Amino acid sequence: MLSAALTIRITELVTGGDPGLSTGAELAVRSASGELAFRAPLARHWREEVGERCIWVRPIAGGYEPTERRPGDPPYLFSLNAARRRGLTWTTASVKGETVVLELAGGEVATIGPAGEDLRPELERWDSFVLQLLPSELEQELEQLEDDSWQGQHA
Amino acid sequence: MGSSSKKAHESFSVAPAGLNEAPQSPLLAAATSLAGNPSSFASLEDTSVVASGHIAAETEKLLGQEQGAVDPDALQLTPDQQLSSLANGDLVTPVPEELPVGDATGTPVLAGGADLYDSLVTLVAYRSGTTSREVLYATVDEAAEAKLLEALAVGDKLVPVQVTEEVIGRLPVDKDNQLHEQIATVAKSVNHHLKDGSPIPKHTLDKVELLTAKLERLGTECEAPVDKAMLSHYADALAVVKERLEPDYGTSYDKGGKVPFVAPYETTGKVTVTKYMAAPADPGSGLLPTQVRDATRVKPTLASDGTTSWNGSSRSGAKGKEYLVDLGDGFEAVYRPYGVNDAASTEFSLRGALEITGPKGPGRAAELVDRLGQLNLVNLPMSHAEAEWTYLQRNVWAQQLEHHPSVAAAAQQAHGLEDAVEHVLFAETAHKAVGMSEPELHSFAKGLRLEAEAKALLEKVRVLREGVAAAVGLADGATLYASSGYQPVPRRRAGWWVWDRFDVAVKKPEVTEAFKSRGLTHNVSGGNVADLFRSGVLASTERRHLMGVGGGKGMSESSDKLSGGANSVFLRVKGKPFKGPALFWDKPTRLLSRADWYAYDGDHFGSVNPKSHFSVKGQVRDPLALAKFSSSSNEVMFRHGIDLLGAEAPSLVKCTSAKQRQDVLDVLSEKGVTELGGRPVEEVVQC
């Protein structure tokens, strides 16, 4: 289980805390030797697996400008199959400055920190997609972080 | 294919390559010699002389030594006749004379050679009015692109063309004043705080006031009706936002309180733009006339009964460029080259994608496949020898045998065989090349290569089979071939083919015992789980694109890489699910007998950098190791997808409600499915 301080810190990073939607978090995963393997902004929800050293997050992926659109259609969408949940199974967890550092069971090192400037536009587009376009019931499903695949609209 | 398709339904029994072969063959000796001294021209000549006189005898001997299911006719074949037999009748997946009309998953055919990704050709017969339209889909391997392009006459001069396009855009007043951006921002903020019950921050309230004032001011300044319509549209949207700010507003976020999507106010107009198109190529070149254009996709319609239709002309736009190739007689190919489409900006699954269409009407499948030859691509379905070669390679990968000394040695020997045979053939037939023109020489050389590939195949299979047998502790290749789990032909699953692994077939009880009460699960979200059973497949993103379902049309390859791969579906080793919607397989060997799965005991993030050692670190392909997985975030990836209605059906379909269960049962009833995995559907579908 994560400590209360770590739980609070991850929640602040992911949700944006007091400043709200103007900030957010990113996930970076590096090999033990420091090689960057993965980096993406994070959707504004996460959860801890009960009884396990594992947290679930949703890196934002699969964004695209639809190739066919009519006037008034959303200009940017996401494939929710691409923006699938990812699990971080950790062995040690700590805070370094503003960043949460998780040493993963597979030997990689994951960091959750403030989203870089280059990732902010995609995070903003994701917020627009979720907070404006998705029906609230789909939004709730996303937040449960139980999905292995999506069917239907926005799959 | 044309002529070969006449034999498509004939049954052939062909001896496996080189069973019980004890001494090293002269051909193999030639290959080994070649591999051992590749730079020695003299040794090449010697090798040719040694091997040339023995090919016929060697091949006949190899065929004749098979025990058991030997086709007597095959024993009498000369090597050339054997080659012809491979080309004409010994096909693993014959091209059907008729395609099922409206079948969204299509009919898969395995192609010979290595030109096509996964050796897969998918033939789809769309409903089209009172008849059908048949389309061939395949993805060209990047290594085969060069020879495909050699067949095309692509104009190298660009000429300006005036094109009228319809454009969508916002009004200048809207853009200059950032009206949509501002109202979208306040709508998002209000939803964000309504959802978690926190107070709306002052900066959002201030923005609402400023926007209200701005809309009022612009209302007095703008006179054009279209501007007034736009302002009215945004004022209405802002009123919806303000309603949520009232102290007595009581509708909760998940019961209709969420501010709906505020659409940008957009209008359409026509503009004339200058585009530079490739000029038609020299018609006398003998190559295929080719135009370059913006990329497109066939735009089929999926009906509620799961059938697919296409009118033959409707296409949706896609990001990238494509070649439109006139194959003659009403046949066309559309190809999206790797070379002109960058992975970062081109739409996902488009690079290398090839489609061939023909005139309206049924019965064109064989000719569609045959037309691959016009593009310099192998247009013969896979032979049994090629199938066994593929089967062995898949098993080497699945059982992680590639580094075993006997397999590594076999692979090295097999690698030199094609070159060796080509040298032999060249030595025998070089005199025929005298006096040939350059195009004739190209054709002659291409023919030699194809013949060499075919003639070397039987020996390559024998060599690899021996290597694999030694690696798994069997006496020889014949013992391996005779073992109960050895099935060197693929099994059809929905719209694709899967290969089995022979070790799991033998270890089934052991694997089942190791899993105990656990199995493989997959949680389904985002809509009605019944839709999944309407299509009948749990399909990867890539396959869904082909079927014309799902979103993501426009997503780039680089974006998809973050997802960890769009050509697989993801399952997890876990106990029976208590809540749905979820699928559960209590007999994991039902899926683990496939040779295309791999797994990690924990999420894996290395896919962005596949060249790194990091990308496969921790990868598991051993089912007994898989059974020991302990992390909730473990993942088991299956290529293409899973056939939910056939032999790979889940043992449990867990629904969230009685209604959802009934929806699934209704869909299965409509499709005439009464059992899943041999059990009544009412038992399998639960809530």
Side-chain angles (χ1 to χ4, degrees):
Chain A
M1 293 283 289
L2 287 169
S3 68
L6 278 165
T7 301
I8 291 168
R9 183 67 196 129
I10 294 174
T11 302
E12 280 176 350
L13 282 164
V14 167
T15 62
D18 288 339
L21 300 178
S22 60
T23 63
E26 69 168 60
L27 168 69
V29 182
R30 290 180 171 77
S31 66
S33 60
E35 183 184 10
L36 183 66
F38 183 94
R39 181 171 174 255
L42 288 177
R44 297 185 182 279
H45 46 257
W46 74 284
R47 73 174 173 85
E48 191 169 14
E49 184 71 29
V50 177
E52 234 184 281
R53 287 185 163 186
C54 174
I55 68 168
W56 292 98
V57 293
R58 188 180 304 283
I60 296 169
Y64 64 97
E65 293 175 3
T67 47
E68 283 193 320
R69 61 181 294 269
R70 296 163 301 179
D73 281 352
Y76 202 86
L77 295 171
F78 287 86
S79 162
L80 293 177
N81 267 318
R84 64 192 188 93
R85 66 169 171 160
R86 307 297 294 260
L88 300 170
T89 300
W90 55 274
T91 53
T92 66
S94 60
V95 177
K96 283 186 184 165
E98 290 186 294
T99 301
V100 172
V101 180
L102 303 168
E103 289 184 23
L104 303 183
E108 310 97 326
V109 178
T111 54
I112 298 174
E117 282 298 315
D118 58 325
L119 299 182
R120 295 285 296 283
E122 193 70 347
L123 178 57
E124 203 170 299
R125 288 188 282 263
W126 171 265
D127 284 337
S128 298
F129 173 74
V130 172
L131 289 168
Q132 286 203 78
L133 200 64
L134 277 191
S136 55
E137 59 270 22
L138 289 190
E139 201 181 337
Q140 281 181 337
E141 277 198 72
L142 269 182
E143 290 173 358
Q144 286 171 12
L145 284 162
E146 293 279 2
D147 53 292
D148 293 322
S149 72
W150 280 78
Q151 305 299 316
Q153 205 181 12
H154 305 304
Chain B
M1 177 77 51
S3 59
S4 65
S5 66
K6 290 173 188 164
K7 288 193 167 188
H9 296 288
E10 291 184 25
S11 175
F12 284 76
S13 172
V14 176
L19 282 173
N20 293 349
E21 176 64 6
Q24 190 184 49
S25 70
L27 195 58
L28 180 54
T32 308
S33 168
L34 184 69
N37 191 2
S39 60
S40 167
F41 182 71
S43 72
L44 290 182
E45 284 186 331
D46 293 346
T47 299
S48 302
V49 172
V50 169
S52 61
H54 293 274
I55 292 177
E58 178 64 11
T59 309
E60 286 188 47
K61 186 176 70 171
L62 293 172
L63 288 167
Q65 284 182 340
E66 156 62 341
Q67 296 173 336
V70 178
D71 181 347
D73 292 337
L75 291 176
Q76 297 167 12
L77 297 179
T78 66
D80 285 344
Q81 286 169 331
Q82 174 68 14
L83 180 63
S84 173
S85 167
L86 290 176
N88 289 321
D90 176 26
L91 309 177
V92 178
T93 58
V95 178
E97 289 176 6
E98 288 184 22
L99 299 173
V101 177
D103 179 4
T105 55
T107 301
V109 172
L110 288 171
D115 293 344
L116 303 181
Y117 181 70
D118 223 17
S119 302
L120 188 62
V121 166
T122 303
L123 297 158
V124 182
Y126 294 103
R127 289 189 190 284
S128 189
T130 56
T131 181
S132 62
R133 282 199 177 265
E134 297 178 350
V135 182
L136 176 153
Y137 294 99
T139 300
V140 176
D141 190 275
E142 193 163 3
E145 180 165 287
K147 66 176 183 177
L148 185 157
L149 298 181
E150 284 177 10
L152 310 184
V154 185
D156 55 359
K157 288 183 183 171
L158 295 177
V159 293
V161 179
Q162 301 291 316
V163 180
T164 302
E165 289 186 339
E166 188 172 84
V167 292
I168 299 172
R170 287 161 57 197
L171 298 171
V173 176
D174 181 4
K175 285 202 283 191
D176 292 347
N177 289 280
Q178 296 278 287
L179 296 177
H180 181 256
E181 287 82 354
Q182 289 176 35
I183 195 163
T185 299
V186 296
K188 277 193 291 185
S189 176
V190 168
N191 277 339
H192 180 60
H193 292 284
L194 275 180
K195 186 166 70 170
D196 65 13
S198 59
I200 308 295
K202 184 173 181 306
H203 62 83
T204 299
L205 298 174
D206 290 345
K207 280 179 185 164
V208 170
E209 290 309 311
L210 284 171
L211 192 52
T212 304
K214 189 183 273 186
L215 289 174
E216 285 174 359
R217 178 176 58 77
L218 290 170
T220 61
E221 292 174 0
C222 297
E223 293 180 356
V226 68
D227 286 335
K228 287 194 175 297
M230 176 270 294
L231 293 171
S232 172
H233 168 78
Y234 288 139
D236 289 348
L238 190 60
V240 173
V241 173
K242 287 166 133 178
E243 189 185 4
R244 270 75 178 163
L245 306 181
E246 296 294 332
D248 58 348
Y249 185 77
T251 309
S252 66
Y253 184 77
D254 57 349
K255 297 283 193 298
K258 182 174 182 176
V259 177
F261 172 61
V262 180
Y265 188 91
E266 292 177 314
T267 58
T268 59
K270 292 198 183 305
V271 295
T272 301
V273 295
T274 301
K275 288 196 165 185
Y276 286 86
M277 310 287 282
D282 174 15
S285 65
L287 301 176
L288 299 167
T290 303
Q291 295 175 37
V292 184
R293 67 181 188 189
D294 290 337
T296 62
R297 285 182 190 276
V298 165
K299 190 179 179 188
T301 306
L302 198 68
S304 59
D305 64 357
T307 61
T308 185
S309 304
W310 183 49
N311 60 12
S313 58
S314 182
R315 305 186 76 88
S316 55
K319 292 171 187 167
K321 293 285 179 189
E322 67 187 18
Y323 290 168
L324 175 64
V325 186
D326 183 358
L327 300 174
D329 308 320
F331 285 81
E332 285 183 344
V334 175
Y335 179 63
R336 295 87 182 191
Y338 293 89
V340 300
N341 288 304
D342 176 50
S345 56
T346 301
E347 193 166 325
F348 155 73
S349 84
L350 207 72
R351 296 169 80 226
L354 171 70
E355 74 189 38
I356 300 179
T357 55
K360 198 172 182 177
R364 307 203 181 277
E367 188 164 5
L368 288 171
V369 176
D370 196 39
R371 297 271 173 176
L372 287 168
Q374 285 181 276
L375 299 166
N376 289 342
L377 301 173
V378 173
N379 62 349
L380 289 169
M382 184 177 277
S383 69
H384 278 98
E386 285 175 306
E388 189 175 359
W389 176 251
T390 305
Y391 174 73
L392 285 164
Q393 286 183 311
R394 298 289 172 102
N395 269 275
V396 165
W397 179 85
Q399 299 182 45
Q400 296 173 286
L401 302 174
E402 54 267 48
H403 300 302
H404 191 282
S406 68
V407 173
Q412 191 181 2
Q413 287 173 345
H415 184 67
L417 275 167
E418 282 174 11
D419 287 343
V421 176
E422 192 174 8
H423 282 288
V424 171
L425 291 173
F426 184 75
E428 288 178 339
T429 58
H431 62 281
K432 294 180 184 173
V434 176
M436 283 186 179
S437 65
E438 193 170 333
E440 286 170 334
L441 279 172
H442 280 189
S443 175
F444 177 71
K446 196 188 296 179
L448 277 184
R449 185 67 195 173
L450 288 174
E451 193 176 349
E453 285 174 8
K455 284 185 170 171
L457 185 60
L458 294 175
E459 185 69 2
K460 283 169 59 176
V461 169
R462 190 194 69 80
V463 166
L464 186 55
R465 194 197 299 126
E466 292 293 335
V468 170
V472 298
L474 295 176
D476 52 29
T479 308
L480 174 61
Y481 193 87
S483 62
S484 60
Y486 198 81
Q487 296 290 337
V489 286
R491 291 179 292 128
R492 181 170 171 182
R493 292 289 174 264
W496 53 88
W497 294 89
V498 299
W499 301 83
D500 283 336
R501 42 190 293 178
F502 59 79
D503 61 332
V504 175
V506 175
K507 287 184 200 165
K508 258 182 191 173
E510 200 181 339
V511 173
T512 303
E513 171 62 24
F515 269 85
K516 296 189 172 68
S517 63
R518 297 202 301 167
L520 296 169
T521 67
H522 182 90
N523 292 346
V524 183
S525 295
N528 192 346
V529 70
D531 286 344
L532 202 54
F533 287 89
R534 204 177 296 284
S535 68
V537 289
L538 177 62
S540 67
T541 304
E542 192 174 77
R543 299 302 303 185
R544 288 150 72 110
H545 272 244
L546 185 66
M547 291 159 60
V549 298
K553 295 183 182 68
M555 187 171 74
S556 71
E557 279 190 29
S558 55
S559 177
D560 171 67
K561 280 183 180 173
L562 287 174
S563 75
N567 58 13
S568 297
V569 294
F570 299 79
L571 273 61
R572 299 183 197 281
V573 178
K574 215 173 168 184
K576 190 174 170 179
F578 295 109
K579 62 178 183 178
L583 310 174
F584 181 64
W585 286 262
D586 64 359
K587 294 183 176 62
T589 52
R590 193 177 283 184
L591 298 175
L592 298 178
S593 60
R594 288 170 54 163
D596 58 12
W597 65 267
Y598 61 96
Y600 293 94
D601 191 11
D603 208 330
H604 182 68
F605 290 88
S607 58
V608 169
N609 188 2
K611 289 179 182 173
S612 163
H613 68 280
F614 188 52
S615 62
V616 292
K617 186 171 179 286
Q619 190 178 98
V620 166
R621 296 175 223 158
D622 175 1
L624 295 173
L626 182 70
K628 293 176 185 163
F629 275 10
S630 58
S631 167
S632 292
S633 63
N634 76 74
E635 292 183 334
V636 194
M637 275 64 74
F638 290 86
R639 186 85 170 261
H640 297 307
I642 291 169
D643 180 358
L644 297 175
L645 305 180
E648 296 176 344
S651 52
L652 170 66
V653 180
K654 186 73 175 173
C655 298
T656 52
S657 64
K659 182 184 178 307
Q660 190 175 68
R661 175 176 184 265
Q662 193 55 51
D663 288 345
V664 174
L665 291 175
D666 288 347
V667 166
L668 292 172
S669 174
E670 281 170 31
K671 296 178 80 80
V673 177
T674 57
E675 291 187 343
L676 288 173
R679 291 166 54 219
V681 292
E682 290 79 7
E683 275 183 29
V684 176
V685 184
Q686 299 177 11
C687 69

